[in-house]
């Protein structure tokens, strides 16, 4: 019964703690690489580091990407909006292939996509009691 | 019958029981926008002239302004859009430009499935627009194409509802005609 409950499993706490420790270690390593002078690192025997230029360049790249991503997301949204003359504003594949359920007395009618002509008649002509 | 929105005016004319015409008039070219555009172009040209001391810049600016105005009036600025619906024949859309040019499109009635008011997202808002749904020749129940109407004059929902109701009265006549045949 414990496996079927939606609450977090104990493994999730373990993964979380491992991730926390790894993140802290990574951050300390980044600080050591950025601030400690090269001569001290070389005297310890650790010689294979990337250039210190990247300690400043990578965060700058990251921040510029985040700023551009807002604009890019806005642009992608605008580009994927269907134009006014496309049939995607009216229907789509799921609505075309939907199955008609039989109408039962005294039951709530099944959920379905109503064609736009019917919707218009209901709204603007005040027609029909459906 | 006339209806005035804040910018557009709708005019409905009934020629016979099965033929109606709807005209929507756009806002005319405003003097302040015309002078603003002209002044900005001429000020930019004068600033270039001050930089380069070449008087050709000024004459090209005047030329550009004149040509730009003519092109705008002839190709861009739509004065009036009208829709003529004849129940047995078809639907005709006419756009008349500010220079007098008229653009006409005719759709025969056998291709027309319905005329509806559709809502769609345009830039960052949702607009209502009238459109003609064209029938798919292979599948009579599905819509093959959507033709938006009144794209430049963009009348508001109260105008659209009037046009929609009139169009539906006429489109019902073609159903009764086809049923009696």
């Amino acid at each position: 019964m414990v496996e079927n409950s939606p609450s977090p499993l104990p493994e999730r706490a373990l993964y979380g703690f491992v991730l926390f420790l790894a993140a802290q270690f990574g951050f300390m390593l980044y600080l050591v690489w950025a601030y400690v002078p090269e001569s001290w690192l070389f005297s310890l025997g650790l010689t294979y580091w990337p250039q210190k230029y990247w300690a400043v360049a990578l965060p700058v790249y990251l921040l510029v990407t985040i700023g551009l991503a807002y604009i890019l997301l806005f642009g992608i949204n605008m580009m994927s909006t269907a134009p006014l003359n496309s049939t995607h504003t009216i229907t789509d594949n799921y609505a075309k292939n939907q199955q008609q359920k039989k109408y039962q007395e005294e039951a709530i009618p099944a959920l379905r996509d109503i064609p736009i002509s019917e919707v218009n008649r209901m709204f603007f002509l005040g027609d029909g009691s459906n | 019958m006339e209806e005035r929105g804040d910018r557009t005016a709708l005019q409905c004319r009934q020629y016979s029981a099965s033929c109606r015409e709807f005209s929507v008039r756009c806002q005319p070219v405003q003097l302040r926008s015309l002078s603003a555009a002209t002044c900005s172009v001429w000020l930019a040209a004068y600033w270039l002239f001050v930089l380069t001391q070449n008087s050709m810049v000024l004459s090209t600016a005047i030329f550009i302004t004149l040509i730009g105005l003519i092109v705008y009036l002839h190709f861009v600025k739509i004065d009036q859009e009208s829709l003529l619906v004849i129940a047995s024949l078809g639907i005709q859309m006419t756009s008349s430009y500010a220079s007098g040019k008229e653009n006409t499109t005719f759709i025969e009635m056998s291709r027309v499935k319905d005329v509806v008011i559709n809502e769609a997202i345009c830039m960052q808002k949702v607009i209502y627009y009238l459109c003609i749904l064209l029938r798919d020749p292979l599948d009579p129940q599905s819509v093959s194409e959507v033709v938006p109407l009144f794209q430049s004059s963009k009348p508001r929902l109260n105008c659209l509802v009037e046009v929609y109701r009139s169009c539906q009265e006429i489109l019902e006549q073609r159903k009764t005609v086809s049923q009696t045949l």
Side-chain angles (χ1 to χ4, degrees), chain B residues 7 24 30 35 87 94-95 110 140 166 168 175 178-180:
Chain B
R7 298 185 311 139
V24 181
Q30 299 240 324
S35 17
T94 313
S95 328
S110 58
S166 287
Q168 287 296 318
K175 265 192 287 182
S178 64
Q179 276 168 6
T180 54

Side-chain angles (χ1 to χ4, degrees), chain A residues 66-108:
Chain A
I66 291 175
L68 285 181
Y70 279 107
I71 302 171
L72 199 68
L73 191 66
F74 190 66
I76 289 177
N77 275 335
M78 282 178 69
M79 275 176 59
S80 46
T81 309
L84 292 187
N85 62 349
S86 106
T87 50
H88 290 286
T89 53
I90 292 181
T91 182
D92 65 355
N93 281 335
Y94 299 105
K96 281 186 196 153
N97 296 336
Q98 65 181 345
Q99 288 136 355
Q100 304 275 355
K101 293 216 177 98
K102 252 199 317 216
Y103 176 69
Q104 292 168 346
E105 293 289 331
E106 305 273 333
I108 300 174

Side-chain angles (χ1 to χ4, degrees), chain A residues 18-30:
Chain A
V18 166
L19 203 58
F20 168 74
L21 286 180
Q24 292 285 29
F25 175 69
F27 183 55
M28 287 301 139
L29 192 63
Y30 170 75

Side-chain angles (χ1 to χ4, degrees), chain B residues 4 21 27 33 37-38 50 55 66 77 93 95 100 112 118-119 146 164:
Chain B
R4 205 164 286 276
E21 183 174 25
Q27 202 183 15
S33 48
T38 314
V50 165
S55 62
L66 284 174
K77 179 80 189 86
M93 294 108 67
S95 328
V112 171
N118 193 14
E119 303 153 9
V146 172
Y164 172 75

